[in-house]
């Protein structure tokens, strides 16, 4: 049996044999089939990319049915257990786990690029007191491109690598400045003696003490959350980074596009929506009433469901465990009780079971962030920090892929045609 697909275009009785490679046909092979009347070529229609592969990628493997997530072939469970975020970032970007010497060099490079230009600080200070930190992050990452004009030299590997390091290094600084701004607090400069997660906690929480020492359990929990959020193959924000990056713009602008996509409530904003939902439900006994509202279509159970995972989200399992570690330090949140009840009720309900709706990574991550003292507006920001390594890995892969061109989908035009312009004074209501 050959790996091909025989089809007949019944409009013309034209047969065609399409090659199947890696379980896919090429949409451009359909171009050979033409409408005998109009001569128009045959296209595939796939709004929201429900069944379209847009690239070949070796970064992240995901099997939604089996609940498998692997970065560069390494299971997420092992990385969450034994690795650190910076090591995982190296893995995603370079394709292999670093040796001791490579990790030391990488950690040194990232740690010594955490400061941002003072003008960027003034830029951030220009935001209103109540600016959403994700909007500030989006704007300030984009603004970084103006500080590094050579970043547009995307074919120069040395220059490119220097900006890869800068992006990983400066993201927590921008995120923390955005947080401090929204609290009306002075910005805290990076502390290069601390770990990646520890330094971020210092820039968030440090007040008058000479040296901030993060609780190692909270530092580790945050690092695990960073590992879990580092990449997730061709999701909405990664597709945004690749699409914008395909115009060969500099990486800061492409990553800003990723931050923008992550800002939306169906993507990075979901954990913020989960917390708001839990607060609105208010108590355990109101869970059944809320679930009924979801089933009748008035509500959505935020933190449930996934385009790809249809059995369980492996990240949700790890996060639930991290929850316990964090609550050991901070004390249990009353919202956890509501979340546990919601999960239990939904998992036993036919509506959710038949639609294969399970808790996703965001169902519990918001509770951890809240326990860490983060306001909900910071949740998507906390997602964007680690996802930067995934975006960069995917961007680098795209830039070096000879098959990639500027992204430019087709459309099915359904509007009017050939109308005659009428001056405004002669138009009818
Ligand atoms: N609550 C209630 N019903 C839902 C939910 C939900 N959270 N998610 C999906 N459904 C229903 C939906 O109404 C539809 O029902 P029907 O067949 O009767 O019309 C069916 O399940 C299929 O849903 P869909 O909207 O076609 O699924 P999708 O693949 O387009 O959407 C999703 C995936 C994640 C956007 C969606 O499940 C959702 O909105 N979930 C809540 C938001 C959320 O938690 N997002 C975070 C995703 S994980 C983070 C990440 O990886 O980026």
């Amino acid at each position: 049996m050959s790996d091909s697909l025989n089809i007949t275009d019944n409009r013309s009785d034209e047969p065609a044999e399409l090659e199947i490679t890696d379980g896919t046909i090429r949409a451009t092979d359909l171009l050979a089939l033409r409408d005998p009347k109009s001569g128009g070529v045959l296209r595939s229609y796939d709004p929201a990319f429900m069944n379209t592969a847009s690239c070949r990628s070796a970064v992240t493997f995901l099997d939604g049915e089996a609940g498998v997530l692997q970065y560069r072939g390494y299971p997420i469970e092992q990385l969450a257990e034994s690795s650190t975020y910076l090591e995982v970032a190296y893995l995603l970007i370079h394709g292999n786990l670093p040796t001791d010497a490579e990790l030391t060099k990488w950690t040194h490079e990232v740690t010594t690029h955490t400061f941002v230009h003072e003008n960027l600080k003034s830029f951030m200070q220009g935001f209103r007191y109540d600016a959403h930190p994700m909007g500030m992050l989006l704007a300030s990452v984009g603004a970084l491109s103006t500080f590094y004009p050579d970043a547009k030299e995307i074919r120069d590997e040395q220059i490119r690598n220097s900006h890869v390091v800068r992006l990983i290094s400066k993201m927590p600084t921008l995120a923390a400045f955005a947080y401090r701004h929204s609290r009306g607090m002075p910005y805290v400069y990076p502390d290069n003696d601390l770990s990646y997660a520890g330094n971020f906690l210092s820039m968030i929480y440090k007040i008058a003490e000479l040296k901030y020492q993060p609780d190692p359990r909270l530092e580790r929990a945050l690092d695990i959350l960073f590992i879990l959020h580092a990449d997730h193959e061709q999701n909405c924000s990664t597709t945004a980074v690749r699409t914008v990056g395909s115009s060969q713009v500099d990486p800061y602008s492409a990553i800003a596009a990723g931050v923008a996509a992550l800002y939306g409530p169906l993507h990075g904003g979901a954990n913020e929506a989960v917390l708001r939902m839990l607060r609105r439900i208010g108590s355990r006994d109101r869970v059944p009433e809320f679930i009924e509202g979801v089933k009748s279509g008035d509500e959505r159970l935020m933190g449930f469901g996934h385009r790809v995972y249809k059995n369980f989200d492996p990240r949700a399992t790890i996060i639930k465990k991290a929850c316990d570690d964090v609550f050991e330090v901070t004390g249990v949140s009353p919202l956890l009780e509501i979340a546990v009840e919601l999960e239990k009720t939904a998992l036993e309900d036919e509506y959710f079971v038949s639609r294969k709706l399970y808790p996703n990574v965001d169902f519990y991550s918001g509770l951890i962030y809240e326990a860490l003292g983060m306001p909900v507006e910071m949740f998507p920001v906390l997602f964007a920090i680690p996802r930067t390594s995934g975006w960069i890995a995917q961007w680098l892969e795209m830039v070096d892929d000879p098959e990639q061109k500027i992204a430019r989908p087709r459309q099915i035009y359904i509007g009017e045609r050939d109308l005659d312009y009428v001056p405004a004074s002669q138009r009818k209501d």
Side-chain angles (χ1 to χ4, degrees), residues 176-193:
F177 282 9
Y179 168 81
R180 301 286 291 206
H181 183 84
S182 63
R183 301 270 117 173
M185 293 171 82
Y187 302 175
V188 175
Y189 287 110
D191 180 342
N192 290 352
D193 290 338

Side-chain angles (χ1 to χ4, degrees), residues 241-256:
V241 170
R242 278 182 174 263
T243 304
V244 170
S246 77
S247 72
Q248 302 197 347
V249 74
D250 67 89
Y252 299 102
S253 304
I255 298 300

Side-chain angles (χ1 to χ4, degrees), residues 137 141 166-175 255 259 384-385 388:
L137 184 68
V141 176
R166 285 193 174 95
L167 269 159
I168 304 278
S169 314
K170 297 185 196 310
M171 209 65 172
T173 313
L174 298 178
I255 298 300
V259 177
I385 295 171
T388 300

Side-chain angles (χ1 to χ4, degrees), residues 232 265-267 270 294 299-307 310 315 351-352 355 357 360-362 383:
H232 211 228
L266 294 188
H267 192 10
V294 172
E299 305 263 9
R300 204 148 248 246
L301 177 47
M302 300 311 287
F304 257 67
H306 200 275
R307 172 64 58 81
K310 298 298 176 194
R315 301 168 301 170
Y351 175 95
F352 298 92
R355 288 170 178 77
L357 301 172
N360 59 49
V361 68
D362 289 320
F383 191 160

Side-chain angles (χ1 to χ4, degrees), residues 118-174:
E118 282 293 293
N119 286 3
L120 198 71
K121 210 179 102 186
S122 325
F123 171 77
M124 295 188 85
Q125 278 161 338
F127 281 98
R128 274 180 58 137
Y129 70 97
D130 59 352
H132 195 295
M134 191 64 164
M136 292 179 69
L137 184 68
L138 160 57
S140 55
V141 176
L144 275 182
S145 78
T146 67
F147 291 84
Y148 304 106
D150 68 337
K152 62 179 179 300
E153 307 293 338
I154 60 167
R155 298 271 162 223
D156 184 316
E157 225 176 296
Q158 209 184 340
I159 293 180
R160 201 164 80 174
N161 286 343
S162 73
H163 296 295
V164 165
V165 168
R166 285 193 174 95
L167 269 159
I168 304 278
S169 314
K170 297 185 196 310
M171 209 65 172
T173 313
L174 298 178

Side-chain angles (χ1 to χ4, degrees), residues 14-69:
E14 246 346 277
E17 186 178 358
L18 309 185
E19 201 182 310
I20 300 177
T21 314
D22 297 322
T24 58
I25 56 163
R26 284 192 174 250
T28 44
D29 284 354
L30 298 174
L31 291 172
L33 298 167
R34 285 182 178 270
D35 183 338
K37 286 194 208 119
S38 67
V41 294
L42 185 66
R43 300 203 192 282
S44 59
Y45 177 57
D46 190 9
F49 306 117
M50 296 291 288
N51 192 31
T52 293
S54 64
C55 60
R56 302 171 74 83
S57 180
V59 180
T60 290
F61 174 75
L62 208 164
D63 179 342
E65 289 298 328
V68 173
L69 172 62

